[in-house]
Amino acid sequence: MVWNDMRTLLIVILGALFLILVTVRTIRNLRWIRFGEAFGKQGEALLEDYAYLSEKGIECRVEQGLPTGRLFRPLAKNLDDRVALFVHRKDAAAARKLLQ
């Protein structure tokens, strides 16, 4: 009887922790707008845009490759050269103006 109560409590705690982590991650990701995504040589232009925007004081970030676990790494070999440029939502209008 006690074992079932402990198991239920653990499941509830883990479920609540999962929901908190997903909520925090979602809120953090909503702050960013994707300005572009490219593969290979085309990704170099996005890296240049990133350097230019950073130099102008625009808050931005770059993701390279795909964040995959070790289990799925062999399946994502063709996606390792992916480059994605993200700009903070508050700087999006200024970034669009600078990149025109």
Side-chain angles (χ1 to χ4, degrees), residues 6-24:
M6 297 260 306
R7 190 180 331 166
T8 303
L9 179 62
L10 182 61
I11 289 171
V12 169
I13 290 172
L14 290 175
L17 182 61
F18 175 77
L19 288 175
I20 290 169
L21 291 174
V22 167
T23 302
V24 167

Side-chain angles (χ1 to χ4, degrees), residues 31-69:
R31 297 180 350 180
W32 298 96
I33 297 173
R34 183 170 44 198
F35 260 54
E37 183 175 32
F39 295 88
K41 295 278 186 190
Q42 296 169 342
E44 292 176 14
L46 286 178
L47 292 174
E48 291 171 6
D49 289 346
Y50 169 75
Y52 175 71
L53 292 173
S54 295
E55 184 179 287
K56 297 294 183 180
I58 302 294
E59 188 175 350
C60 53
R61 67 183 174 93
V62 169
E63 282 183 4
Q64 292 183 302
L66 285 178
T68 58

Side-chain angles (χ1 to χ4, degrees), residues 28-35 53 56-61 86-98:
R28 189 181 323 153
N29 285 340
L30 287 175
R31 297 180 350 180
W32 298 96
I33 297 173
R34 183 170 44 198
F35 260 54
L53 292 173
K56 297 294 183 180
I58 302 294
E59 188 175 350
C60 53
R61 67 183 174 93
F86 294 88
V87 174
H88 196 279
R89 191 169 294 280
K90 69 177 173 53
D91 292 333
R96 280 190 190 94
K97 193 172 184 180
L98 286 169

Side-chain angles (χ1 to χ4, degrees), residues 74-95:
L75 302 174
K77 283 184 180 176
N78 296 335
L79 301 176
D80 283 342
D81 61 349
R82 171 188 167 263
V83 175
L85 173 63
F86 294 88
V87 174
H88 196 279
R89 191 169 294 280
K90 69 177 173 53
D91 292 333

